Amino acid sequence: MFRAFKLNSSIARRLGAGFGAVLSLLLAVAVVSGHGMQDMAAQLEHITEVNANKIRLARDLMNDINELAVHVRNVALVTDIQKMDAEAREVV
């Protein structure tokens, strides 16, 4: 089939067919790339929405633990009972 096309076609027709084939392959690559970009955008959105919330919650938990540790330290360092009670009430 290709041999018959080659023998019966002019150079311009063969160049046009080759250019058309390259153009169609380029279009196919563009479509596949566009689909891949949409998938990556969906994954990035999932990362920013879900993982960012997890990171925020972990940071808040660390801050609460550090605050609790400061209060516990203050209770251990204070010698006055009234100050101990006041500091212990802040913990709760």
Side-chain angles (χ1 to χ4, degrees), residues 8 10 16-20 30 34-35 46-48 50 60 65 77 79 83 85-87:
N8 296 332
S10 66
F19 181 72
H35 184 65
H46 176 29
I47 287 170
T48 55
V50 174
D60 291 345
I65 290 171
L77 292 177
T79 56
K83 289 181 182 177
D85 289 338
E87 193 68 37

Side-chain angles (χ1 to χ4, degrees), residues 27-87:
L27 181 64
V29 167
V31 168
V32 170
S33 297
H35 184 65
M37 290 293 284
Q38 286 177 347
D39 288 345
M40 285 191 337
Q43 289 175 351
L44 182 61
E45 184 177 342
H46 176 29
I47 287 170
T48 55
E49 287 180 2
V50 174
N51 292 353
N53 286 334
K54 288 180 182 179
I55 291 169
R56 182 184 52 78
L57 290 172
R59 186 184 63 236
D60 291 345
L61 181 63
M62 285 178 42
N63 288 339
D64 291 343
I65 290 171
N66 286 337
E67 187 177 329
L68 181 63
V70 168
H71 287 299
V72 169
R73 183 204 63 199
N74 290 343
V75 168
L77 292 177
V78 172
T79 56
D80 186 21
I81 299 283
Q82 292 173 345
K83 289 181 182 177
M84 266 189 213
D85 289 338
E87 193 68 37

Side-chain angles (χ1 to χ4, degrees), residues 15-32:
L15 283 174
F19 181 72
V22 169
L23 196 59
S24 65
L25 288 173
L26 182 63
L27 181 64
V29 167
V31 168
V32 170

